[in-house]
């Protein structure tokens, strides 16, 4: 009986961060527009939606910086973002 088991790598479509980022950003954008137009959720709902958009932009920036690091061959860059 072998000591190691070969685990297959996930397909690129299941590892890609882009669909998750796009869906999240679109959801926050829709929520922001709905809250701004209808004034739903009280006083802090618009702030929460804007923070959600900001976190999405921060996450997108991190992914793009890491991907650029992978292309340059930086040692500290995250693997699997090529």
């Amino acid at each position: 009986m072998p000591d190691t088991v070969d685990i297959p790598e996930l397909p690129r479509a299941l590892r890609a961060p882009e669909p998750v980022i796009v869906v999240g950003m679109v959801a926050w954008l829709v929520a922001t527009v709905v809250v701004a137009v209808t004034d739903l959720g009280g006083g802090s709902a618009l702030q929460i939606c804007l923070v959600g958009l900001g976190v999405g932009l921060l996450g997108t920036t991190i992914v793009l910086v890491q991907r650029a690091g992978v292309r340059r061959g930086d040692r500290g860059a995250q693997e699997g973002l090529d």
Side-chain angles (χ1 to χ4, degrees):
M1 193 160 158
D3 291 336
T4 61
V5 177
D6 291 331
I7 299 173
E9 191 170 319
L10 287 173
R12 170 79 175 125
L14 294 177
R15 294 183 288 129
E18 294 88 1
V20 176
I21 292 171
V22 168
V23 168
M25 291 291 289
V26 167
W28 279 113
L29 183 63
V30 168
T32 302
V33 169
V34 168
V35 167
V37 169
T38 62
D39 199 28
L40 288 174
S44 63
L46 184 58
Q47 292 173 349
I48 291 170
C49 290
L50 292 173
V51 168
L53 282 172
V55 169
L57 287 174
L58 177 65
T60 302
T61 303
I62 290 171
V63 168
L64 292 175
V65 167
Q66 285 292 326
R67 185 169 288 158
V70 167
R71 288 189 190 124
R72 283 191 311 265
D74 291 348
R75 285 189 320 187
Q78 183 176 348
E79 295 180 9
L81 289 178
D82 46 6

